[in-house]
Amino acid sequence: MAELTYDLLMDDSSYMGSDRARIENKVILDELERKKKARSMAVPTDDNKVKARLREIGEPITLFGERAADRRDRLIYVLSQINAARGDDAMQVDEESSEDSEEEVEEFYSPGTLELLEARRRLAEFSLPRAQKRVAQQRIDSKVPLGRIIDIRKRVFADVKTFTNLGSQIGDDRPISLVRFAPNNEILATASWSGSVKLWNVPSCTPIRTLRGHADRVGGVAWHPQATLSQSPDAVNLVSGAGDTFVHLWSLNSEIPLSVLKGHQDRICRVAFHPSGNYVGSASFDTTWRLWDVNTSQELLLQEGHSKEVYTVEFQDDGALVGSAGLDAIGRVWDMRTGRTAMVLDGHVEGILSMAFSPNGYQIATGASDDTIRIWDMRSLKALYTIPAHLNNVSDVRFFRSDGTIPAHLALPQAAPDVPMNGVDSEAEKDTPSPEKDGSATPAPPLTLEQEKENLEQEWRYRPGLYMASAGYDGVVKVWSADDWQLLTTLQTDGSKVMSVDLSSDAKMLVSGTYNRNFQLFSPASAM
């Protein structure tokens, strides 16, 4: 399969020239024309007149749970449908109602820079091949037999349920606000309200370096996607944001920042690296989130859209979408290639404190102050499931994701060489009755080493996104299955508010950071 690129998509005439495409385009254009005409209709604003008009055209005057504004929108929709069926340019309504019509609300655009336009093009070129690869793998996974999927779930969940406390360490003088594993899973970054970011060796929990530069509490920290792997230690490996309104870019060899990004007008809560490593997103209490160019340290985009403080920002793995959410209890998914809103996450009743994209590319988990985790499906544009997760605020949610390399503790052991027996059977073999002799059923033949290796690779490919972890102010970390959203295990910390949680990409560790200035490491039995 040829790799899908931006230019190839723009030049592809096979789809646009098909009858199906023409029919689909006509339906879309007709719908847009109907909506345009509907906006120009003069419709009563008085609720009694709206009900009378609905009764006149034979529609129910009210529906269960319908508000006055919804009723007026329904009237506009019904009138526009009648108008389209008749082919009239406009439908006449009462003259007196036209005087009360509201002003037409038009879509508006904010001017952008040429740098932003070029960035959007690069984002499209980066995300299209990744999305194509992900969808191709999902098509392969969809053909896996149900029995095999059940077997994989049992093995993975049985391993997850064995998480036990590996150790605890005092991380700072003030509460630990965020914890994140490095891509190589050998370094842990902790952010603190003291204004510092610390790097630790794990699982030994010995300090490496303290990154000082912020003058207020650090709320967000994130690793470059290639940090500790192919990225040079002298280049940008880490980003942090704090209450001093600044975003800092860090290397691994210096305790002072490589660059300071200025622009926010209030406290910065969360930061995130784009999967390409070329861009950084930051969420702030100034009701905006911003996109920064790592290479030039310039602000590319100031995005409004929230009515209150923006608390979290997160990028999808493909790199095409970014999610933002805040204390207005609303989340938004933005298409970075066009700047449009792709989905509105409206359902929480209190502020959203955390957000995570599933590795499958179309599901999102949000944790909020209403003590719940909501699962959203971007295909149906609605909430899929609500988990009553914690007894107090859900401060962090993280899906398990891997880099595709099978870790050593899960890899198959090397096969032992055959030992020549000189044609003499052992005493144990002589005493063991054969299935044919004792009349029992013939057992299934054992799997070959190649078959076991293939099964292990299949299990590891299927594992990302199969479970997730959540942190709550009730003092516990919980691990959930990410297909039926059931609780797998509950991990006790030091009893104080759990501010953050993270899962290592090699499935060996889970870390939590708490208000009591500690961080705790947990590990499954398979990694012991």
Side-chain angles (χ1 to χ4, degrees), residues 186-430:
E186 296 176 2
I187 302 177
L188 175 70
T190 61
S192 169
W193 283 8
S194 67
S196 63
V197 176
K198 292 187 178 182
L199 305 181
W200 306 80
N201 286 308
V202 287
S204 62
C205 297
T206 55
I208 300 175
R209 182 172 287 108
T210 300
L211 309 178
R212 296 180 175 88
H214 288 292
D216 202 346
R217 63 183 68 179
V218 180
V221 65
W223 289 93
H224 187 286
Q226 295 300 317
T228 68
L229 298 176
S230 60
Q231 185 82 337
S232 169
D234 296 321
V236 175
N237 280 260
L238 203 67
V239 63
S240 63
D244 57 9
T245 74
F246 300 144
V247 176
H248 287 182
L249 302 178
W250 307 87
S251 70
L252 295 181
N253 290 337
S254 176
E255 295 183 358
I256 58 175
L258 296 176
S259 181
V260 178
L261 312 182
K262 302 178 181 179
H264 280 293
Q265 302 301 313
D266 207 336
R267 169 188 170 190
I268 296 173
C269 292
R270 295 285 188 266
V271 292
F273 254 109
H274 185 266
S276 68
N278 296 324
Y279 308 99
V280 162
S282 57
S284 171
F285 270 34
D286 62 8
T287 72
T288 70
W289 68 268
R290 306 192 187 209
L291 185 70
W292 310 84
D293 190 315
V294 173
N295 298 319
T296 63
S297 298
Q298 291 183 345
E299 178 187 301
L300 295 176
L301 174 65
L302 184 157
Q303 184 64 64
E304 299 175 321
H306 291 272
S307 60
K308 289 186 178 181
E309 295 88 342
V310 183
Y311 201 89
T312 182
V313 63
E314 194 75 24
F315 291 100
Q316 183 210 34
D317 288 358
D318 293 344
L321 305 176
V322 60
S324 63
L327 303 188
D328 55 0
I330 298 293
R332 290 184 179 271
V333 180
W334 309 84
D335 189 335
M336 298 186 65
R337 301 162 296 185
T338 63
R340 294 178 178 270
T341 300
M343 182 178 179
V344 177
L345 314 179
D346 187 4
H348 284 289
V349 295
E350 292 189 38
I352 300 175
L353 305 179
S354 56
M355 170 184 284
F357 280 91
S358 170
N360 63 25
Y362 56 83
Q363 288 179 336
I364 306 170
T366 54
S369 298
D370 58 12
D371 312 338
T372 67
I373 298 174
R374 281 184 176 255
I375 309 299
W376 310 84
D377 194 317
M378 287 189 290
R379 300 170 301 180
S380 59
L381 299 178
K382 64 181 182 180
L384 186 68
Y385 198 84
T386 300
I387 306 173
H390 291 268
L391 301 178
N392 208 336
N393 299 355
V394 182
S395 56
D396 205 2
V397 288
R398 301 289 287 178
F399 282 95
F400 172 76
R401 43 179 33 90
S402 72
D403 58 4
T405 304
I406 300 177
H409 73 284
L410 294 178
L412 292 174
Q414 295 295 326
D418 292 335
V419 179
M421 299 299 293
N422 298 325
V424 179
D425 293 335
S426 66
E427 292 298 326
E429 289 176 342
K430 289 180 181 179

